[in-house]
PDB file of all heavy atoms in Angstrom:
ATOM      1  N   THR A  21       0.832  -1.224  -0.003  1.00 71.00           N
ATOM      2  CA  THR A  21       0.003  -0.019  -0.060  1.00 71.00           C
ATOM      3  C   THR A  21       0.879   1.242   0.015  1.00 71.00           C
ATOM      4  O   THR A  21       1.823   1.301   0.798  1.00 71.00           O
ATOM      5  CB  THR A  21      -0.918  -0.014   1.309  1.00 71.00           C
ATOM      6  OG1 THR A  21      -1.616  -1.183   1.240  1.00 71.00           O
ATOM      7  CG2 THR A  21      -1.888   1.172   1.205  1.00 71.00           C
ATOM      8  N   PRO A  22       0.545   2.275  -0.797  1.00 66.00           N
ATOM      9  CA  PRO A  22       1.349   3.477  -0.861  1.00 66.00           C
ATOM     10  C   PRO A  22       1.332   4.146   0.569  1.00 66.00           C
ATOM     11  O   PRO A  22       0.401   4.045   1.237  1.00 66.00           O
ATOM     12  CB  PRO A  22       0.609   4.385  -1.863  1.00 66.00           C
ATOM     13  CG  PRO A  22      -0.138   3.513  -2.707  1.00 66.00           C
ATOM     14  CD  PRO A  22      -0.512   2.269  -1.832  1.00 66.00           C
ATOM     15  N   ALA A  23       2.464   4.738   0.858  1.00 61.00           N
ATOM     16  CA  ALA A  23       2.679   5.404   2.140  1.00 61.00           C
ATOM     17  C   ALA A  23       1.612   6.491   2.343  1.00 61.00           C
ATOM     18  O   ALA A  23       1.236   7.190   1.378  1.00 61.00           O
ATOM     19  CB  ALA A  23       4.067   5.975   2.311  1.00 61.00           C
ATOM     20  N   ALA A  24       1.116   6.588   3.532  1.00 57.00           N
ATOM     21  CA  ALA A  24       0.107   7.682   3.818  1.00 57.00           C
ATOM     22  C   ALA A  24       0.495   8.308   5.190  1.00 57.00           C
ATOM     23  O   ALA A  24       1.212   7.705   5.970  1.00 57.00           O
ATOM     24  CB  ALA A  24      -1.278   7.057   3.892  1.00 57.00           C
ATOM     25  N   THR A  25      -0.084   9.447   5.449  1.00 47.00           N
ATOM     26  CA  THR A  25       0.056  10.077   6.742  1.00 47.00           C
ATOM     27  C   THR A  25      -1.309  10.095   7.401  1.00 47.00           C
ATOM     28  O   THR A  25      -2.351   9.830   6.633  1.00 47.00           O
ATOM     29  CB  THR A  25       0.558  11.513   6.629  1.00 47.00           C
ATOM     30  OG1 THR A  25      -0.380  12.308   5.991  1.00 47.00           O
ATOM     31  CG2 THR A  25       1.876  11.576   5.868  1.00 47.00           C
ATOM     32  N   PRO A  26      -1.465  10.375   8.612  1.00 47.00           N
ATOM     33  CA  PRO A  26      -2.810  10.377   9.295  1.00 47.00           C
ATOM     34  C   PRO A  26      -3.755  11.360   8.652  1.00 47.00           C
ATOM     35  O   PRO A  26      -4.976  11.085   8.668  1.00 47.00           O
ATOM     36  CB  PRO A  26      -2.484  10.755  10.739  1.00 47.00           C
ATOM     37  CG  PRO A  26      -1.086  10.389  10.996  1.00 47.00           C
ATOM     38  CD  PRO A  26      -0.372  10.512   9.606  1.00 47.00           C
ATOM     39  N   THR A  27      -3.219  12.418   8.027  1.00 50.00           N
ATOM     40  CA  THR A  27      -4.103  13.458   7.404  1.00 50.00           C
ATOM     41  C   THR A  27      -4.192  13.361   5.878  1.00 50.00           C
ATOM     42  O   THR A  27      -5.076  13.966   5.245  1.00 50.00           O
ATOM     43  CB  THR A  27      -3.587  14.875   7.721  1.00 50.00           C
ATOM     44  OG1 THR A  27      -2.282  15.032   7.275  1.00 50.00           O
ATOM     45  CG2 THR A  27      -3.667  15.081   9.250  1.00 50.00           C
ATOM     46  N   LYS A  28      -3.315  12.556   5.285  1.00 56.00           N
ATOM     47  CA  LYS A  28      -3.287  12.513   3.796  1.00 56.00           C
ATOM     48  C   LYS A  28      -3.152  11.049   3.333  1.00 56.00           C
ATOM     49  O   LYS A  28      -2.155  10.379   3.664  1.00 56.00           O
ATOM     50  CB  LYS A  28      -2.143  13.355   3.273  1.00 56.00           C
ATOM     51  CG  LYS A  28      -1.985  13.307   1.763  1.00 56.00           C
ATOM     52  CD  LYS A  28      -0.776  14.133   1.350  1.00 56.00           C
ATOM     53  CE  LYS A  28      -0.560  13.889  -0.146  1.00 56.00           C
ATOM     54  NZ  LYS A  28       0.810  14.087  -0.544  1.00 56.00           N
ATOM     55  N   PRO A  29      -4.125  10.569   2.478  1.00 64.00           N
ATOM     56  CA  PRO A  29      -3.833   9.242   2.008  1.00 64.00           C
ATOM     57  C   PRO A  29      -2.744   9.173   0.979  1.00 64.00           C
ATOM     58  O   PRO A  29      -2.355  10.213   0.436  1.00 64.00           O
ATOM     59  CB  PRO A  29      -5.200   8.933   1.318  1.00 64.00           C
ATOM     60  CG  PRO A  29      -5.769  10.258   1.006  1.00 64.00           C
ATOM     61  CD  PRO A  29      -5.247  11.177   2.070  1.00 64.00           C
ATOM     62  N   GLY A  30      -2.200   7.975   0.671  1.00 70.00           N
ATOM     63  CA  GLY A  30      -1.189   7.830  -0.280  1.00 70.00           C
ATOM     64  C   GLY A  30      -1.772   8.287  -1.702  1.00 70.00           C
ATOM     65  O   GLY A  30      -2.895   8.078  -1.977  1.00 70.00           O
ATOM     66  N   ALA A  31      -0.899   8.993  -2.485  1.00 84.00           N
ATOM     67  CA  ALA A  31      -1.269   9.420  -3.792  1.00 84.00           C
ATOM     68  C   ALA A  31      -1.499   8.293  -4.726  1.00 84.00           C
ATOM     69  O   ALA A  31      -0.868   7.228  -4.573  1.00 84.00           O
ATOM     70  CB  ALA A  31      -0.285  10.430  -4.320  1.00 84.00           C
ATOM     71  N   PRO A  32      -2.307   8.447  -5.798  1.00 86.00           N
ATOM     72  CA  PRO A  32      -2.566   7.335  -6.739  1.00 86.00           C
ATOM     73  C   PRO A  32      -1.244   6.904  -7.382  1.00 86.00           C
ATOM     74  O   PRO A  32      -0.420   7.804  -7.662  1.00 86.00           O
ATOM     75  CB  PRO A  32      -3.539   7.986  -7.686  1.00 86.00           C
ATOM     76  CG  PRO A  32      -4.208   9.078  -6.978  1.00 86.00           C
ATOM     77  CD  PRO A  32      -3.275   9.642  -6.011  1.00 86.00           C
ATOM     78  N   VAL A  33      -1.168   5.647  -7.604  1.00 89.00           N
ATOM     79  CA  VAL A  33       0.061   5.105  -8.319  1.00 89.00           C
ATOM     80  C   VAL A  33      -0.157   5.259  -9.768  1.00 89.00           C
ATOM     81  O   VAL A  33      -1.193   4.827 -10.344  1.00 89.00           O
ATOM     82  CB  VAL A  33       0.245   3.635  -7.893  1.00 89.00           C
ATOM     83  CG1 VAL A  33       1.366   2.990  -8.692  1.00 89.00           C
ATOM     84  CG2 VAL A  33       0.443   3.446  -6.419  1.00 89.00           C
ATOM     85  N   ALA A  34       0.849   5.899 -10.441  1.00 92.00           N
ATOM     86  CA  ALA A  34       0.742   6.064 -11.928  1.00 92.00           C
ATOM     87  C   ALA A  34       1.635   5.207 -12.683  1.00 92.00           C
ATOM     88  O   ALA A  34       1.486   5.027 -13.882  1.00 92.00           O
ATOM     89  CB  ALA A  34       1.120   7.594 -12.224  1.00 92.00           C
ATOM     90  N   SER A  35       2.646   4.595 -12.027  1.00 94.00           N
ATOM     91  CA  SER A  35       3.569   3.680 -12.631  1.00 94.00           C
ATOM     92  C   SER A  35       4.179   2.773 -11.619  1.00 94.00           C
ATOM     93  O   SER A  35       4.297   3.067 -10.387  1.00 94.00           O
ATOM     94  CB  SER A  35       4.710   4.474 -13.428  1.00 94.00           C
ATOM     95  OG  SER A  35       5.290   5.348 -12.489  1.00 94.00           O
ATOM     96  N   VAL A  36       4.635   1.570 -12.125  1.00 94.00           N
ATOM     97  CA  VAL A  36       5.223   0.554 -11.185  1.00 94.00           C
ATOM     98  C   VAL A  36       6.244  -0.240 -11.927  1.00 94.00           C
ATOM     99  O   VAL A  36       6.074  -0.498 -13.222  1.00 94.00           O
ATOM    100  CB  VAL A  36       4.130  -0.268 -10.541  1.00 94.00           C
ATOM    101  CG1 VAL A  36       3.369  -1.068 -11.637  1.00 94.00           C
ATOM    102  CG2 VAL A  36       4.612  -1.119  -9.532  1.00 94.00           C
ATOM    103  N   CYS A  37       7.191  -0.762 -11.194  1.00 95.00           N
ATOM    104  CA  CYS A  37       8.185  -1.702 -11.845  1.00 95.00           C
ATOM    105  C   CYS A  37       8.789  -2.565 -10.747  1.00 95.00           C
ATOM    106  O   CYS A  37       9.005  -2.090  -9.619  1.00 95.00           O
ATOM    107  CB  CYS A  37       9.282  -0.883 -12.569  1.00 95.00           C
ATOM    108  SG  CYS A  37      10.410  -1.816 -13.558  1.00 95.00           S
ATOM    109  N   VAL A  38       9.197  -3.800 -11.079  1.00 93.00           N
ATOM    110  CA  VAL A  38       9.909  -4.671 -10.195  1.00 93.00           C
ATOM    111  C   VAL A  38      11.260  -4.815 -10.786  1.00 93.00           C
ATOM    112  O   VAL A  38      11.447  -4.996 -12.000  1.00 93.00           O
ATOM    113  CB  VAL A  38       9.120  -6.056 -10.072  1.00 93.00           C
ATOM    114  CG1 VAL A  38      10.018  -7.015  -9.230  1.00 93.00           C
ATOM    115  CG2 VAL A  38       7.785  -5.822  -9.519  1.00 93.00           C
ATOM    116  N   ASP A  39      12.269  -4.862  -9.934  1.00 94.00           N
ATOM    117  CA  ASP A  39      13.714  -5.009 -10.410  1.00 94.00           C
ATOM    118  C   ASP A  39      13.894  -6.411 -10.949  1.00 94.00           C
ATOM    119  O   ASP A  39      13.102  -7.381 -10.641  1.00 94.00           O
ATOM    120  CB  ASP A  39      14.702  -4.579  -9.363  1.00 94.00           C
ATOM    121  CG  ASP A  39      15.011  -5.752  -8.391  1.00 94.00           C
ATOM    122  OD1 ASP A  39      14.102  -6.453  -7.887  1.00 94.00           O
ATOM    123  OD2 ASP A  39      16.239  -5.929  -8.086  1.00 94.00           O
ATOM    124  N   PRO A  40      14.901  -6.642 -11.788  1.00 92.00           N
ATOM    125  CA  PRO A  40      15.189  -8.031 -12.376  1.00 92.00           C
ATOM    126  C   PRO A  40      15.271  -9.128 -11.381  1.00 92.00           C
ATOM    127  O   PRO A  40      14.975 -10.273 -11.675  1.00 92.00           O
ATOM    128  CB  PRO A  40      16.429  -7.852 -13.171  1.00 92.00           C
ATOM    129  CG  PRO A  40      16.539  -6.342 -13.458  1.00 92.00           C
ATOM    130  CD  PRO A  40      15.888  -5.670 -12.263  1.00 92.00           C
ATOM    131  N   SER A  41      15.797  -8.852 -10.131  1.00 91.00           N
ATOM    132  CA  SER A  41      15.855  -9.890  -9.075  1.00 91.00           C
ATOM    133  C   SER A  41      14.581 -10.266  -8.468  1.00 91.00           C
ATOM    134  O   SER A  41      14.475 -11.287  -7.788  1.00 91.00           O
ATOM    135  CB  SER A  41      16.908  -9.464  -8.067  1.00 91.00           C
ATOM    136  OG  SER A  41      16.338  -8.508  -7.161  1.00 91.00           O
ATOM    137  N   GLY A  42      13.616  -9.367  -8.592  1.00 89.00           N
ATOM    138  CA  GLY A  42      12.338  -9.581  -7.932  1.00 89.00           C
ATOM    139  C   GLY A  42      12.325  -9.159  -6.458  1.00 89.00           C
ATOM    140  O   GLY A  42      11.266  -9.344  -5.788  1.00 89.00           O
ATOM    141  N   ARG A  43      13.382  -8.568  -5.992  1.00 91.00           N
ATOM    142  CA  ARG A  43      13.519  -8.123  -4.612  1.00 91.00           C
ATOM    143  C   ARG A  43      12.943  -6.726  -4.314  1.00 91.00           C
ATOM    144  O   ARG A  43      12.493  -6.450  -3.235  1.00 91.00           O
ATOM    145  CB  ARG A  43      14.865  -8.288  -4.105  1.00 91.00           C
ATOM    146  CG  ARG A  43      15.377  -9.752  -4.027  1.00 91.00           C
ATOM    147  CD  ARG A  43      16.767  -9.752  -3.469  1.00 91.00           C
ATOM    148  NE  ARG A  43      17.623  -9.158  -4.437  1.00 91.00           N
ATOM    149  CZ  ARG A  43      18.920  -9.356  -4.537  1.00 91.00           C
ATOM    150  NH1 ARG A  43      19.503 -10.138  -3.653  1.00 91.00           N
ATOM    151  NH2 ARG A  43      19.620  -8.831  -5.418  1.00 91.00           N
ATOM    152  N   LEU A  44      12.986  -5.868  -5.340  1.00 93.00           N
ATOM    153  CA  LEU A  44      12.619  -4.517  -5.116  1.00 93.00           C
ATOM    154  C   LEU A  44      11.485  -4.129  -6.010  1.00 93.00           C
ATOM    155  O   LEU A  44      11.350  -4.557  -7.171  1.00 93.00           O
ATOM    156  CB  LEU A  44      13.742  -3.527  -5.441  1.00 93.00           C
ATOM    157  CG  LEU A  44      14.981  -3.630  -4.563  1.00 93.00           C
ATOM    158  CD1 LEU A  44      16.140  -2.736  -5.112  1.00 93.00           C
ATOM    159  CD2 LEU A  44      14.664  -3.198  -3.106  1.00 93.00           C
ATOM    160  N   LEU A  45      10.625  -3.263  -5.543  1.00 93.00           N
ATOM    161  CA  LEU A  45       9.499  -2.696  -6.224  1.00 93.00           C
ATOM    162  C   LEU A  45       9.601  -1.203  -6.129  1.00 93.00           C
ATOM    163  O   LEU A  45       9.904  -0.710  -5.118  1.00 93.00           O
ATOM    164  CB  LEU A  45       8.131  -3.181  -5.690  1.00 93.00           C
ATOM    165  CG  LEU A  45       6.886  -2.496  -6.148  1.00 93.00           C
ATOM    166  CD1 LEU A  45       6.336  -3.212  -7.376  1.00 93.00           C
ATOM    167  CD2 LEU A  45       5.795  -2.420  -5.092  1.00 93.00           C
ATOM    168  N   VAL A  46       9.311  -0.519  -7.194  1.00 95.00           N
ATOM    169  CA  VAL A  46       9.288   0.937  -7.148  1.00 95.00           C
ATOM    170  C   VAL A  46       7.984   1.427  -7.835  1.00 95.00           C
ATOM    171  O   VAL A  46       7.506   0.846  -8.750  1.00 95.00           O
ATOM    172  CB  VAL A  46      10.613   1.520  -7.798  1.00 95.00           C
ATOM    173  CG1 VAL A  46      10.519   1.285  -9.302  1.00 95.00           C
ATOM    174  CG2 VAL A  46      10.658   3.044  -7.616  1.00 95.00           C
ATOM    175  N   THR A  47       7.461   2.452  -7.169  1.00 93.00           N
ATOM    176  CA  THR A  47       6.206   3.048  -7.635  1.00 93.00           C
ATOM    177  C   THR A  47       6.376   4.542  -7.887  1.00 93.00           C
ATOM    178  O   THR A  47       7.072   5.213  -7.171  1.00 93.00           O
ATOM    179  CB  THR A  47       5.030   2.832  -6.672  1.00 93.00           C
ATOM    180  OG1 THR A  47       5.359   3.400  -5.388  1.00 93.00           O
ATOM    181  CG2 THR A  47       4.658   1.340  -6.553  1.00 93.00           C
ATOM    182  N   GLY A  48       5.738   5.005  -8.939  1.00 94.00           N
ATOM    183  CA  GLY A  48       5.704   6.466  -9.159  1.00 94.00           C
ATOM    184  C   GLY A  48       4.253   6.958  -8.955  1.00 94.00           C
ATOM    185  O   GLY A  48       3.398   6.323  -9.407  1.00 94.00           O
ATOM    186  N   HIS A  49       4.146   8.147  -8.347  1.00 93.00           N
ATOM    187  CA  HIS A  49       2.794   8.588  -7.932  1.00 93.00           C
ATOM    188  C   HIS A  49       2.543   9.921  -8.572  1.00 93.00           C
ATOM    189  O   HIS A  49       3.322  10.643  -8.941  1.00 93.00           O
ATOM    190  CB  HIS A  49       2.835   8.710  -6.424  1.00 93.00           C
ATOM    191  CG  HIS A  49       3.064   7.413  -5.707  1.00 93.00           C
ATOM    192  ND1 HIS A  49       2.046   6.582  -5.257  1.00 93.00           N
ATOM    193  CD2 HIS A  49       4.247   6.756  -5.413  1.00 93.00           C
ATOM    194  CE1 HIS A  49       2.623   5.545  -4.695  1.00 93.00           C
ATOM    195  NE2 HIS A  49       3.905   5.587  -4.786  1.00 93.00           N
ATOM    196  N   GLU A  50       1.250  10.235  -8.518  1.00 92.00           N
ATOM    197  CA  GLU A  50       0.725  11.511  -9.099  1.00 92.00           C
ATOM    198  C   GLU A  50       1.145  12.769  -8.282  1.00 92.00           C
ATOM    199  O   GLU A  50       1.027  13.845  -8.810  1.00 92.00           O
ATOM    200  CB  GLU A  50      -0.802  11.446  -9.162  1.00 92.00           C
ATOM    201  CG  GLU A  50      -1.288  10.535 -10.264  1.00 92.00           C
ATOM    202  CD  GLU A  50      -2.871  10.539 -10.420  1.00 92.00           C
ATOM    203  OE1 GLU A  50      -3.532  11.261  -9.666  1.00 92.00           O
ATOM    204  OE2 GLU A  50      -3.320   9.770 -11.310  1.00 92.00           O
ATOM    205  N   ASP A  51       1.673  12.506  -7.069  1.00 91.00           N
ATOM    206  CA  ASP A  51       2.152  13.707  -6.261  1.00 91.00           C
ATOM    207  C   ASP A  51       3.646  13.922  -6.431  1.00 91.00           C
ATOM    208  O   ASP A  51       4.243  14.531  -5.588  1.00 91.00           O
ATOM    209  CB  ASP A  51       1.768  13.489  -4.821  1.00 91.00           C
ATOM    210  CG  ASP A  51       2.388  12.352  -4.130  1.00 91.00           C
ATOM    211  OD1 ASP A  51       3.085  11.494  -4.782  1.00 91.00           O
ATOM    212  OD2 ASP A  51       2.274  12.177  -2.918  1.00 91.00           O
ATOM    213  N   SER A  52       4.268  13.322  -7.452  1.00 93.00           N
ATOM    214  CA  SER A  52       5.696  13.409  -7.812  1.00 93.00           C
ATOM    215  C   SER A  52       6.600  12.509  -6.891  1.00 93.00           C
ATOM    216  O   SER A  52       7.822  12.615  -7.025  1.00 93.00           O
ATOM    217  CB  SER A  52       6.191  14.832  -7.830  1.00 93.00           C
ATOM    218  OG  SER A  52       6.318  15.374  -6.575  1.00 93.00           O
ATOM    219  N   VAL A  53       6.081  11.736  -6.027  1.00 92.00           N
ATOM    220  CA  VAL A  53       6.868  10.822  -5.213  1.00 92.00           C
ATOM    221  C   VAL A  53       7.135   9.569  -5.823  1.00 92.00           C
ATOM    222  O   VAL A  53       6.229   8.978  -6.479  1.00 92.00           O
ATOM    223  CB  VAL A  53       6.120  10.668  -3.837  1.00 92.00           C
ATOM    224  CG1 VAL A  53       6.746   9.567  -3.041  1.00 92.00           C
ATOM    225  CG2 VAL A  53       6.093  11.932  -3.007  1.00 92.00           C
ATOM    226  N   CYS A  54       8.292   9.008  -5.610  1.00 94.00           N
ATOM    227  CA  CYS A  54       8.640   7.640  -5.921  1.00 94.00           C
ATOM    228  C   CYS A  54       8.816   6.866  -4.613  1.00 94.00           C
ATOM    229  O   CYS A  54       9.447   7.416  -3.709  1.00 94.00           O
ATOM    230  CB  CYS A  54       9.847   7.566  -6.757  1.00 94.00           C
ATOM    231  SG  CYS A  54       9.748   8.253  -8.399  1.00 94.00           S
ATOM    232  N   SER A  55       8.365   5.656  -4.537  1.00 92.00           N
ATOM    233  CA  SER A  55       8.495   4.840  -3.308  1.00 92.00           C
ATOM    234  C   SER A  55       9.215   3.587  -3.674  1.00 92.00           C
ATOM    235  O   SER A  55       8.839   2.886  -4.644  1.00 92.00           O
ATOM    236  CB  SER A  55       7.186   4.526  -2.769  1.00 92.00           C
ATOM    237  OG  SER A  55       6.515   5.756  -2.257  1.00 92.00           O
ATOM    238  N   LEU A  56      10.229   3.261  -2.953  1.00 94.00           N
ATOM    239  CA  LEU A  56      11.026   2.029  -3.169  1.00 94.00           C
ATOM    240  C   LEU A  56      10.702   1.045  -2.050  1.00 94.00           C
ATOM    241  O   LEU A  56      10.755   1.372  -0.889  1.00 94.00           O
ATOM    242  CB  LEU A  56      12.529   2.422  -3.143  1.00 94.00           C
ATOM    243  CG  LEU A  56      13.535   1.401  -3.515  1.00 94.00           C
ATOM    244  CD1 LEU A  56      13.331   0.877  -4.889  1.00 94.00           C
ATOM    245  CD2 LEU A  56      14.988   1.882  -3.314  1.00 94.00           C
ATOM    246  N   TYR A  57      10.340  -0.189  -2.408  1.00 92.00           N
ATOM    247  CA  TYR A  57       9.863  -1.138  -1.493  1.00 92.00           C
ATOM    248  C   TYR A  57      10.755  -2.443  -1.528  1.00 92.00           C
ATOM    249  O   TYR A  57      11.206  -2.840  -2.505  1.00 92.00           O
ATOM    250  CB  TYR A  57       8.416  -1.618  -1.800  1.00 92.00           C
ATOM    251  CG  TYR A  57       7.371  -0.515  -1.694  1.00 92.00           C
ATOM    252  CD1 TYR A  57       7.046   0.238  -2.787  1.00 92.00           C
ATOM    253  CD2 TYR A  57       6.743  -0.226  -0.508  1.00 92.00           C
ATOM    254  CE1 TYR A  57       6.110   1.261  -2.748  1.00 92.00           C
ATOM    255  CE2 TYR A  57       5.831   0.770  -0.434  1.00 92.00           C
ATOM    256  CZ  TYR A  57       5.482   1.485  -1.532  1.00 92.00           C
ATOM    257  OH  TYR A  57       4.548   2.448  -1.499  1.00 92.00           O
ATOM    258  N   ASP A  58      10.860  -2.997  -0.313  1.00 90.00           N
ATOM    259  CA  ASP A  58      11.458  -4.354  -0.226  1.00 90.00           C
ATOM    260  C   ASP A  58      10.284  -5.371  -0.345  1.00 90.00           C
ATOM    261  O   ASP A  58       9.376  -5.337   0.517  1.00 90.00           O
ATOM    262  CB  ASP A  58      12.135  -4.478   1.151  1.00 90.00           C
ATOM    263  CG  ASP A  58      12.531  -5.909   1.534  1.00 90.00           C
ATOM    264  OD1 ASP A  58      12.383  -6.827   0.648  1.00 90.00           O
ATOM    265  OD2 ASP A  58      12.956  -6.088   2.621  1.00 90.00           O
ATOM    266  N   VAL A  59      10.256  -6.059  -1.402  1.00 85.00           N
ATOM    267  CA  VAL A  59       9.067  -6.991  -1.707  1.00 85.00           C
ATOM    268  C   VAL A  59       8.973  -8.108  -0.701  1.00 85.00           C
ATOM    269  O   VAL A  59       7.902  -8.317  -0.108  1.00 85.00           O
ATOM    270  CB  VAL A  59       9.195  -7.574  -3.088  1.00 85.00           C
ATOM    271  CG1 VAL A  59       8.086  -8.559  -3.401  1.00 85.00           C
ATOM    272  CG2 VAL A  59       9.066  -6.510  -4.173  1.00 85.00           C
ATOM    273  N   ARG A  60      10.039  -8.735  -0.371  1.00 82.00           N
ATOM    274  CA  ARG A  60      10.018  -9.837   0.623  1.00 82.00           C
ATOM    275  C   ARG A  60       9.647  -9.414   1.975  1.00 82.00           C
ATOM    276  O   ARG A  60       8.949 -10.126   2.681  1.00 82.00           O
ATOM    277  CB  ARG A  60      11.365 -10.505   0.644  1.00 82.00           C
ATOM    278  CG  ARG A  60      11.647 -11.235  -0.738  1.00 82.00           C
ATOM    279  CD  ARG A  60      12.983 -11.941  -0.685  1.00 82.00           C
ATOM    280  NE  ARG A  60      13.226 -12.548  -1.988  1.00 82.00           N
ATOM    281  CZ  ARG A  60      14.398 -12.760  -2.459  1.00 82.00           C
ATOM    282  NH1 ARG A  60      15.531 -12.509  -1.770  1.00 82.00           N
ATOM    283  NH2 ARG A  60      14.514 -13.323  -3.694  1.00 82.00           N
ATOM    284  N   GLY A  61      10.146  -8.210   2.436  1.00 80.00           N
ATOM    285  CA  GLY A  61       9.742  -7.721   3.704  1.00 80.00           C
ATOM    286  C   GLY A  61       8.516  -6.923   3.813  1.00 80.00           C
ATOM    287  O   GLY A  61       8.147  -6.514   4.895  1.00 80.00           O
ATOM    288  N   SER A  62       7.864  -6.677   2.628  1.00 78.00           N
ATOM    289  CA  SER A  62       6.657  -5.901   2.509  1.00 78.00           C
ATOM    290  C   SER A  62       6.806  -4.603   3.243  1.00 78.00           C
ATOM    291  O   SER A  62       5.897  -4.237   4.055  1.00 78.00           O
ATOM    292  CB  SER A  62       5.442  -6.691   3.024  1.00 78.00           C
ATOM    293  OG  SER A  62       5.206  -7.767   2.237  1.00 78.00           O
ATOM    294  N   ARG A  63       7.937  -3.934   3.045  1.00 85.00           N
ATOM    295  CA  ARG A  63       8.088  -2.608   3.707  1.00 85.00           C
ATOM    296  C   ARG A  63       8.724  -1.555   2.754  1.00 85.00           C
ATOM    297  O   ARG A  63       9.352  -1.924   1.816  1.00 85.00           O
ATOM    298  CB  ARG A  63       9.072  -2.760   4.900  1.00 85.00           C
ATOM    299  CG  ARG A  63      10.476  -3.078   4.549  1.00 85.00           C
ATOM    300  CD  ARG A  63      11.375  -3.198   5.738  1.00 85.00           C
ATOM    301  NE  ARG A  63      12.756  -3.500   5.296  1.00 85.00           N
ATOM    302  CZ  ARG A  63      13.664  -2.547   5.065  1.00 85.00           C
ATOM    303  NH1 ARG A  63      13.391  -1.300   5.181  1.00 85.00           N
ATOM    304  NH2 ARG A  63      14.876  -2.852   4.641  1.00 85.00           N
ATOM    305  N   CYS A  64       8.371  -0.304   3.067  1.00 88.00           N
ATOM    306  CA  CYS A  64       8.919   0.791   2.288  1.00 88.00           C
ATOM    307  C   CYS A  64      10.348   1.027   2.758  1.00 88.00           C
ATOM    308  O   CYS A  64      10.618   1.289   3.866  1.00 88.00           O
ATOM    309  CB  CYS A  64       7.999   2.022   2.432  1.00 88.00           C
ATOM    310  SG  CYS A  64       8.518   3.412   1.366  1.00 88.00           S
ATOM    311  N   ILE A  65      11.278   1.114   1.781  1.00 93.00           N
ATOM    312  CA  ILE A  65      12.677   1.458   2.131  1.00 93.00           C
ATOM    313  C   ILE A  65      12.795   2.960   2.159  1.00 93.00           C
ATOM    314  O   ILE A  65      13.379   3.463   3.072  1.00 93.00           O
ATOM    315  CB  ILE A  65      13.638   0.845   1.059  1.00 93.00           C
ATOM    316  CG1 ILE A  65      13.539  -0.678   1.054  1.00 93.00           C
ATOM    317  CG2 ILE A  65      15.055   1.308   1.316  1.00 93.00           C
ATOM    318  CD1 ILE A  65      14.231  -1.346  -0.094  1.00 93.00           C
ATOM    319  N   GLN A  66      12.226   3.670   1.257  1.00 92.00           N
ATOM    320  CA  GLN A  66      12.225   5.044   1.226  1.00 92.00           C
ATOM    321  C   GLN A  66      11.330   5.628   0.171  1.00 92.00           C
ATOM    322  O   GLN A  66      11.025   5.052  -0.747  1.00 92.00           O
ATOM    323  CB  GLN A  66      13.611   5.636   1.175  1.00 92.00           C
ATOM    324  CG  GLN A  66      14.233   5.686  -0.221  1.00 92.00           C
ATOM    325  CD  GLN A  66      15.328   6.726  -0.264  1.00 92.00           C
ATOM    326  OE1 GLN A  66      15.085   7.883  -0.400  1.00 92.00           O
ATOM    327  NE2 GLN A  66      16.546   6.238  -0.148  1.00 92.00           N
ATOM    328  N   ALA A  67      10.925   6.865   0.354  1.00 92.00           N
ATOM    329  CA  ALA A  67      10.198   7.678  -0.657  1.00 92.00           C
ATOM    330  C   ALA A  67      11.071   8.876  -1.010  1.00 92.00           C
ATOM    331  O   ALA A  67      11.689   9.478  -0.127  1.00 92.00           O
ATOM    332  CB  ALA A  67       8.858   8.096  -0.018  1.00 92.00           C
TER     333      ALA A  67
END
């Protein structure tokens, strides 16, 4: 799920890609944010 704050839901996902190893997922959002995720750990590494 895209990162959100208590006052603002995560912005809509406009693009997505998984790295060749299948370990990382990256999303591009309508609010200009990119989020990098650890797929196996199901956690956001950073935005």
Side-chain angles (χ1 to χ4, degrees):
T21 305
T25 66
T27 59
K28 179 183 169 205
V33 176
S35 54
V36 64
C37 188
V38 176
D39 84 316
S41 74
R43 291 182 293 201
L44 296 173
L45 170 90
V46 67
T47 55
H49 300 263
E50 288 183 1
D51 64 355
S52 75
V53 168
C54 294
S55 297
L56 187 62
Y57 297 92
D58 170 6
V59 173
R60 293 181 183 154
S62 294
R63 67 179 181 90
C64 184
I65 298 170
Q66 78 159 279

